[in-house]
């Protein structure tokens, strides 16, 4: 009788874990990061976030040392000037760089 009870208990525990796992896997897509985020070195802390690309010249945070374009972005162009002039460095949506090297950006 104890074996039957132990088997039933194990089956119930396995069912509960499976149901819980399926609930996490079915979480809504809105829970995923969106937009463009700038981070400090080694992606330690987020220093700025942009919801949607505008293509306008924007100052880059002085401590930014990397970025991730989560959604809606195809390219982030970095400049060593404050007014987005001069040599343009196309970086895509995932890149690290030396903090302070670039002063402005355009996101598309």
């Amino acid at each position: 009788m104890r074996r039957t009870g132990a088997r039933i208990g194990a089956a119930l525990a396995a069912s509960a874990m499976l149901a819980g796992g399926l609930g996490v896997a079915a979480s809504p897509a809105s829970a995923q990061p969106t937009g463009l985020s700038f981070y400090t070195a080694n992606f330690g802390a987020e220093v700025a976030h942009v919801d949607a690309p505008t293509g306008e010249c924007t100052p880059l945070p002085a401590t930014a040392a990397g970025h991730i374009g989560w959604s809606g972005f195809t390219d982030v162009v970095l400049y060593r000037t404050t007014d987005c002039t001069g040599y343009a460095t196309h970086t895509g949506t995932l890149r690290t760089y030396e903090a302070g090297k670039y002063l402005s950006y355009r996101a598309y």
Side-chain angles (χ1 to χ4, degrees), residues 18-102:
L18 178 61
L22 290 175
V24 170
S27 63
S30 62
Q32 302 301 317
T34 61
L36 171 65
S37 296
F38 290 94
Y39 295 91
T40 58
N42 299 318
F43 297 96
E46 185 178 69
V47 294
H49 182 79
V50 178
D51 290 325
T54 64
E56 293 182 21
C57 184
T58 307
L60 187 67
T63 57
H67 64 263
I68 299 175
W70 297 105
S71 64
F73 295 86
T74 57
D75 195 16
V76 177
V77 184
L78 301 176
Y79 299 88
R80 292 184 186 218
T81 61
T82 58
D83 60 354
C84 296
T85 59
Y87 186 76
T89 303
H90 294 265
T91 61
T93 58
L94 176 62
R95 180 64 69 97
T96 60
Y97 32 85
E98 182 182 332
K101 180 177 183 178
Y102 300 103

Side-chain angles (χ1 to χ4, degrees), residues 1-9:
M1 191 60 128
R2 286 187 177 176
R3 274 191 206 172
T4 304
R7 288 181 185 162
I8 292 172

